[in-house]
């Protein structure tokens, strides 16, 4: 194949796009697709109540896993990426295991607390929920580590194989009159297979001689140093779920046969609407790993190399132009896709067998996710520019506003998607102002870091003003 072969130039971007999608929402995408397939095939055999318990068990597992894997996986990936880029000998396998185990333990603790609070029963459902929670959390953390290692091709293959096995095991289990715990264990088989493949890949590349305790110490130290970033990610994930938690706790919610709280009319609509934001999340990941990373390195080389002020400003201007062009392209595509989804809302409503009120709620939810994509990309700029305190405050504001609006709109109007809409409307406006203001100051941020390193401070936050 020649160097000018179109396949060679097209396949790498496609692999990066697929890998970014898997990292951003892989378990969630498969959970939605697999549960839709299982619901279609299993309801005649098991009944609506049993399939509903399976569906809610996966939703609760993904919820707990995202809260733990988000901050821990991101910090672990950043630790590995920084060490590799700086030429350090990093205990990659040890960090991989430490991050996965720490995140899984946190998710299991949260899952256990929720199960005890709700009284999940019988014991088979409880054990299945905990197994799936830990497996998905470890898997999601491994995605972040594999992304830091740029193992995009392997990531896509392992994920596809594992999720295919999950669906196949559930379909095979349906032939033997399965119970809900049986299906949860069958679904977990593919997740565990994907996790085992990820561990094998890391072991073959970096060996298995790393001690867990020193790697855990490195990870905990990174979490302590990056506590603002980790806290912001945790609050950001919780902000997306908080409106659902409010409605699950409200008197209008229902309790499944196993004890899961839910509100089906709202959940189905908003889970479907949230799928529309995945392209923006994946595209932002690609932008950060590609053009932005190259532009950042140019600015850092100029500053740390003692270049003239005009040369540094040209590098910063190039960075600003790269970021703005990339973000405008992402938001244009996201707006186009959102408009297409809104126009296709009647078809989606009919395919998902939703009611008219859910159809109206879906359109509001789709516009809400468009605003959330603005919050997401602007938050990424704050992280790039080392404004982690602003990022933490922004995510905390989104969480608080979504909580307050959910309660107020519920008391005045009942269950509605307007709470998520207005919360994102206000926060997106603040996010745009912060991002536009801070990006041209990146040279000052880097200069502060350089001075802090030379004077012995470990972090620019410790340096005096």
């Amino acid at each position: 194949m020649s160097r000018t072969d179109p396949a060679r130039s097209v396949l790498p971007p496609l692999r990066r796009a697929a890998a970014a999608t898997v990292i951003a929402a892989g378990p969630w995408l498969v959970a939605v697709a697999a549960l839709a397939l299982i619901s279609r095939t299993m309801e005649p055999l098991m009944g609506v109540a049993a399939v509903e318990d399976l569906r809610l068990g996966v939703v609760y597992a993904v919820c707990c896993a995202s809260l733990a894997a988000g901050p821990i996986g991101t910090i672990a990936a950043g630790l590995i990426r920084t060490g590799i880029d700086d030429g350090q000998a990093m205990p990659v396998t040890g960090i991989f295991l430490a991050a996965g185990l720490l995140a899984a333990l946190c998710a299991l603790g949260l899952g256990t607390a929720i199960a005890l609070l709700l009284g999940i029963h019988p014991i088979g459902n409880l054990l299945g929920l905990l197994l799936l929670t830990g497996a998905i959390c470890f898997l999601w953390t491994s995605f972040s580590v594999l992304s830091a290692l740029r193992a995009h091709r392997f990531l896509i293959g392992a994920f596809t194989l594992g999720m295919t096995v999950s669906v196949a095991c559930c379909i095979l289990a349906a032939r033997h009159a399965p119970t809900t715990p049986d299906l949860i264990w069958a679904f977990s088989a593919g997740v565990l297979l994907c996790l085992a493949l990820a561990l094998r890949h890391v072991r073959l590349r970096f060996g298995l001689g790393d001690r867990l305790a020193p790697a855990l110490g490195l990870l905990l130290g990174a979490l302590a140093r990056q506590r603002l970033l980790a806290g912001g990610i945790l609050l950001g994930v919780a902000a997306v779920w908080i409106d659902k938690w409010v409605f699950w706790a409200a008197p209008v919610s229902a309790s499944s046969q196993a004890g899961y709280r839910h509100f089906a009319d709202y959940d189905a609509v908003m889970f479907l609407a949230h799928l529309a934001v995945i392209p923006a999340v994946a595209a932002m990941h690609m932008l950060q790993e590609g053009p932005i990373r190259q532009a950042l390195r140019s600015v850092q080389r100029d500053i740390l190399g003692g270049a003239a002020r005009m040369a540094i400003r040209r590098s910063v201007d190039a960075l600003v132009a790269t970021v703005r062009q990339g973000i405008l392209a992402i938001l244009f595509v996201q707006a186009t896709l959102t408009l297409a989804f809104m126009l296709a809302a009647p078809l989606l409503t009919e395919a998902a067998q939703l009611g008219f009120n859910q159809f109206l709620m879906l359109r509001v939810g789709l516009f809400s996710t468009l605003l959330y994509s603005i919050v997401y990309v602007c938050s990424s700029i704050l992280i790039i520019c080392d404004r982690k305190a602003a990022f933490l405050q922004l995510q905390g504001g989104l969480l608080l506003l979504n909580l307050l609006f959910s309660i107020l709109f519920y008391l005045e109007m009942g269950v509605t998607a307007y709470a998520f809409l207005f919360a994102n409307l206000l926060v997106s406006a603040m996010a745009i102002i912060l991002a536009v203001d801070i990006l041209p100051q990146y040279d000052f941020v880097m200069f502060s870091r350089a001075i802090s390193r030379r004077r012995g401070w470990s972090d620019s936050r410790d340096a005096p003003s």
Side-chain angles (χ1 to χ4, degrees):
M1 185 180 292
S2 65
R3 293 186 178 181
T4 58
D5 194 325
R8 173 167 293 188
S9 60
V10 171
L11 286 179
L14 289 178
R15 280 198 298 266
R16 288 194 294 269
T21 303
V22 169
I23 295 164
W28 186 241
L29 279 173
V30 170
V32 172
L35 291 178
L37 177 62
I38 291 170
S39 298
R40 295 281 185 178
T41 57
M42 302 286 180
E43 280 189 7
L45 299 173
M46 301 176 58
V48 176
V51 173
E52 183 179 59
D53 283 336
L54 170 65
R55 183 164 52 242
L56 292 173
V58 175
V59 169
Y60 273 65
V62 172
C63 175
C64 296
S66 61
L67 288 168
I72 295 176
T74 301
I75 300 303
L79 179 63
I80 291 174
R81 174 65 64 84
T82 302
I84 292 177
D85 290 345
D86 293 344
Q88 302 176 11
M90 296 296 296
V92 175
T93 306
I95 295 174
F96 172 85
L97 292 173
L101 291 174
L102 180 61
L105 286 175
C106 293
L108 286 174
L110 180 58
T112 302
I114 292 174
L116 294 176
L117 178 64
L118 299 180
I120 304 300
H121 60 277
I123 190 64
N125 281 335
L126 174 60
L127 294 178
L129 170 65
L130 297 180
L131 170 68
L132 191 58
T133 299
I136 291 178
C137 185
F138 206 135
L139 180 64
W140 222 328
T141 306
S142 71
F143 287 168
S144 299
V145 174
L146 291 172
S147 174
L149 299 176
R150 298 181 176 90
H152 296 151
R153 183 179 301 178
F154 169 81
L155 179 62
I156 298 168
F159 177 74
T160 303
L161 176 61
M163 297 305 102
T164 302
V165 170
S166 284
V167 176
C169 288
C170 290
I171 294 176
L172 290 175
R175 299 182 178 181
H176 305 285
T179 62
T180 300
D182 294 335
L183 287 180
I184 292 178
W185 284 76
F187 188 82
S188 302
V191 179
L192 294 173
L193 172 62
C194 186
L195 178 59
L197 292 174
L199 177 59
R200 179 179 180 274
H201 179 81
V202 175
R203 181 184 66 83
L204 290 177
R205 286 185 59 178
F206 299 96
L208 200 57
D210 300 336
R211 293 185 178 180
L212 190 59
L216 180 60
L218 285 175
L219 177 62
L220 292 177
L223 285 169
R225 291 190 302 272
Q226 302 288 340
R227 56 189 176 275
L228 295 180
L229 175 60
I233 295 173
L234 178 62
L235 293 179
V237 175
V240 177
W241 286 93
I242 191 67
D243 52 327
K244 302 165 191 62
W245 296 341
V246 169
F247 297 141
W248 291 352
V252 294
S253 66
S255 183
S256 72
Q257 185 175 345
Y260 294 106
R261 301 290 297 179
H262 66 104
F263 190 76
D265 290 347
Y266 184 78
D267 297 345
V269 169
M270 293 306 293
F271 291 157
L272 188 61
H274 282 313
L275 295 178
V277 81
I278 292 175
V281 176
M284 190 64 201
H285 179 82
M286 294 176 60
L287 182 64
Q288 287 180 268
E289 293 298 312
I292 290 181
R293 179 173 292 274
Q294 296 174 4
L296 288 174
R297 287 177 177 173
S298 177
V299 177
Q300 292 166 3
R301 281 195 305 267
D302 288 345
I303 293 178
L304 299 179
R309 174 64 176 168
M310 293 302 298
I312 294 174
R313 285 310 309 170
R314 283 195 296 269
S315 297
V316 173
D317 292 340
L319 170 64
V320 172
T322 299
V323 173
R324 286 180 177 171
Q325 290 172 5
I327 287 178
L328 288 175
I330 290 173
L331 294 180
F332 175 77
V333 173
Q334 184 64 38
T336 304
L337 291 174
T338 301
L339 178 61
F341 280 124
M342 292 179 70
L343 293 176
L347 298 177
L348 296 175
T349 303
E350 183 178 355
Q353 299 179 351
L354 305 177
F356 181 71
N357 289 335
Q358 290 176 299
F359 162 73
L360 298 178
M361 198 182 300
L362 177 61
R363 287 194 163 180
V364 176
L366 287 170
F367 188 67
S368 302
T369 56
L370 174 61
L371 295 174
Y372 177 75
S373 67
I374 298 175
V375 176
Y376 181 85
V377 296
C378 292
S379 298
S380 300
I381 295 174
L382 295 178
I383 295 174
I384 291 170
C385 293
D386 200 33
R387 288 298 184 260
K388 300 182 181 68
F391 169 71
L392 175 67
Q393 294 165 2
L394 197 67
Q395 301 304 315
L398 180 59
L399 174 64
L400 182 61
L401 287 175
N402 198 11
L403 172 62
L404 293 178
F405 282 145
S406 296
I407 295 174
L408 292 175
F409 275 97
Y410 172 73
L411 295 176
E412 294 295 328
M413 302 174 57
V415 177
T416 175
Y418 283 109
F420 193 61
L421 172 66
F422 281 101
N424 279 286
L425 181 63
L426 294 177
V427 176
S428 62
M430 292 187 288
I432 291 172
I433 294 173
L434 288 172
V436 170
D437 179 66
I438 196 58
L439 190 57
Q441 303 177 26
Y442 186 75
D443 54 339
F444 174 75
V445 173
M446 279 303 302
F447 181 77
S448 299
R449 287 181 181 176
I451 294 298
S452 298
R453 290 195 188 100
R454 290 178 182 178
R455 294 185 178 179
W457 290 298
S458 61
D459 196 320
S460 60
R461 288 192 307 271
D462 300 330
S465 59

